[in-house]
């Protein structure tokens, strides 16, 4: 199947797709009527691992940069809507059955060196982990060192900068809003 939207692959060094029997990987497809016509750019100098035999979908506007020595691992059944941006200098692990909305930024680095008053470097890359069954709402920034637990919903417009503690909970940014929830991928047209 060929996408009608352009995909530019800058550097493809190490892509590993495991157990892709009946599933597939789709990049730059417009599945939803509100997706935008945007270019997707992949710059992979590190390692991208896509696991499972389910559905893996990246809508138009994907920007994926994996630095040399960095690893990004995606579990089974993953989808992200348009304009998702990944900047990975160390590591990103995404569990199974993740569903992400549009305009999200995932970045495990400050991208530049930061020094204290003594001239010591204080900016260090730190990996990001998403558990299984995570729903990431729109327009979030998930930054270095963040861990999102299993069954979580991250509400729209937040910035996550740390490890969140409680599974099956709703968060906006680092703030816990509600515990003991569950969710499914069915669209709510009510």
């Amino acid at each position: 199947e060929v996408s009608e939207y352009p995909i530019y692959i800058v550097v493809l060094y190490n892509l590993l797709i495991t157990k892709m029997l009946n599933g597939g990987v789709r990049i730059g497809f417009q599945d939803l009527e509100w997706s935008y016509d945007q270019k997707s750019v992949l710059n992979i100098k590190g390692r991208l691992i896509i696991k499972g035999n389910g559905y893996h979908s990246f809508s138009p506007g994907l920007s994926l940069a994996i630095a040399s020595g960095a690893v990004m691992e995606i579990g089974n059944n993953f989808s992200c809507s348009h304009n998702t941006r990944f900047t990975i200098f160390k590591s990103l692990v995404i569990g199974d059955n993740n569903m992400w909305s549009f305009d999200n930024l995932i970045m495990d680095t400050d991208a530049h060196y930061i020094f204290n008053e003594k001239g010591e470097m204080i900016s260090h890359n730190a990996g990001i982990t998403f558990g299984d069954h995570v729903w990431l709402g729109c327009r979030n920034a998930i930054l270095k060192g963040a861990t999102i637990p299993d069954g979580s919903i991250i509400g729209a417009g937040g910035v996550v900068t740390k490890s969140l503690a409680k599974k099956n909970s709703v968060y906006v940014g680092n703030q816990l809003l509600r515990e003991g929830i569950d969710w499914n991928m069915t669209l709510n047209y009510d």
Side-chain angles (χ1 to χ4, degrees):
E1 207 170 321
V2 177
S3 171
E4 60 189 275
Y5 300 101
I7 299 169
Y8 297 96
I9 299 178
V10 178
V11 177
L12 187 60
Y13 176 72
N14 196 347
L15 172 63
L16 175 64
I17 300 175
T18 63
K19 297 183 183 176
M20 199 60 63
L21 301 175
N22 297 318
V25 177
R26 295 168 32 126
I27 299 173
F29 280 80
Q30 184 174 358
D31 288 342
L32 301 172
E33 59 194 47
W34 58 83
S35 290
Y36 298 109
D37 180 12
Q38 298 176 327
K39 297 175 185 174
S40 293
V41 178
L42 284 70
N43 184 349
I44 303 171
K45 296 179 182 174
R47 191 165 191 202
L48 172 59
I49 302 168
I50 300 175
K51 295 182 169 183
N53 60 358
Y55 186 76
H56 300 80
S57 176
F58 302 86
S59 291
L62 169 67
S63 174
L64 174 59
I66 304 173
S68 179
V71 177
M72 178 174 170
E73 182 177 309
I74 302 172
N76 199 26
N77 297 320
F78 173 77
S79 67
C80 65
S81 193
H82 61 276
N83 201 28
T84 300
R85 309 229 178 264
F86 296 93
T87 303
I88 308 304
F89 279 38
K90 185 169 186 173
S91 67
L92 171 62
V93 176
I94 302 169
D96 295 338
N97 304 309
N98 271 240
M99 179 179 73
W100 296 5
S101 191
F102 57 90
D103 289 340
N104 285 301
L105 170 68
I106 314 300
M107 197 160 108
D108 71 350
T109 180
D110 294 321
H112 300 281
Y113 297 112
I114 301 171
F115 302 93
N116 64 17
E117 61 278 353
K118 296 178 185 176
E120 301 165 330
M121 188 179 71
I122 58 172
S123 59
H124 300 283
N125 302 331
I128 298 171
T129 302
F130 286 83
D132 294 334
H133 194 60
V134 172
W135 177 3
L136 181 60
C138 64
R139 297 192 175 105
N140 282 291
I142 310 299
L143 302 179
K144 68 180 191 174
T147 299
I148 313 297
D150 295 345
S152 295
I153 298 172
I154 306 299
V159 179
V160 179
T161 60
K162 65 180 187 176
S163 291
L164 306 178
K166 301 206 181 269
K167 295 179 180 182
N168 301 98
S169 296
V170 178
Y171 295 87
V172 172
N174 294 329
Q175 183 178 356
L176 174 65
L177 296 182
R178 185 171 187 155
E179 297 179 51
I181 60 96
D182 194 11
W183 64 273
N184 67 48
M185 293 184 181
T186 305
L187 288 175
N188 181 358
Y189 290 107
D190 292 336

